[in-house]
Amino acid sequence: AALLEPRLRAARGALPASLAQEAYASLLGVCSEPGCLRRLRWSKEDAVRHTNAFAAGVLGLATPPPLDAAALQRMGLAGVRGVAAKTTSLSCFSVAGNAPRHKGRCDLG
């Protein structure tokens, strides 16, 4: 194990952050499927805890990356302790009267 630690550290440093984040999201999606939870005898909280440990120990992520709120909803993980949802900035909206209007200058298109 002592021989592998320097290699693992080097590999973590070479891993693009975006790839580590995608790996985290993918693993969390697989581990949160009902069949996987049943086979492993895990709760959703267990799946999140183990995936977060993998993210820190193997992927080298300081904190688990926030995931899209809709994706968390589809995975059945919205509101589960240990997962963070991305927050959306609404600075690209203006309010005209009582109706919000999209200004068209952001990622929402």
Side-chain angles (χ1 to χ4, degrees):
L3 294 175
L4 291 178
E5 188 62 34
R7 289 182 180 181
L8 183 58
R9 226 183 340 262
R12 269 189 243 152
L15 186 66
S18 60
L19 185 60
Q21 292 169 354
E22 288 176 29
Y24 170 81
S26 296
L27 181 61
L28 188 58
V30 169
C31 288
S32 65
E33 290 178 354
C36 187
L37 293 172
R38 199 172 27 256
R39 275 192 305 276
L40 294 172
R41 295 186 177 142
W42 285 357
S43 66
K44 290 179 181 182
E45 291 79 11
D46 292 331
V48 170
R49 190 176 71 253
H50 289 292
T51 305
N52 288 351
F54 175 83
V58 176
L59 299 176
L61 297 173
T63 59
L67 302 177
D68 182 66
L72 290 174
Q73 192 74 34
R74 285 190 303 272
M75 288 189 262
L77 296 175
V80 174
R81 176 176 282 177
V83 293
K86 287 181 184 175
T87 56
T88 304
S89 169
L90 298 179
S91 62
C92 59
F93 282 85
S94 65
V95 178
N98 287 330
R101 287 184 47 133
H102 185 249
K103 294 188 251 179
R105 295 187 304 258
C106 69
D107 292 338
L108 297 177

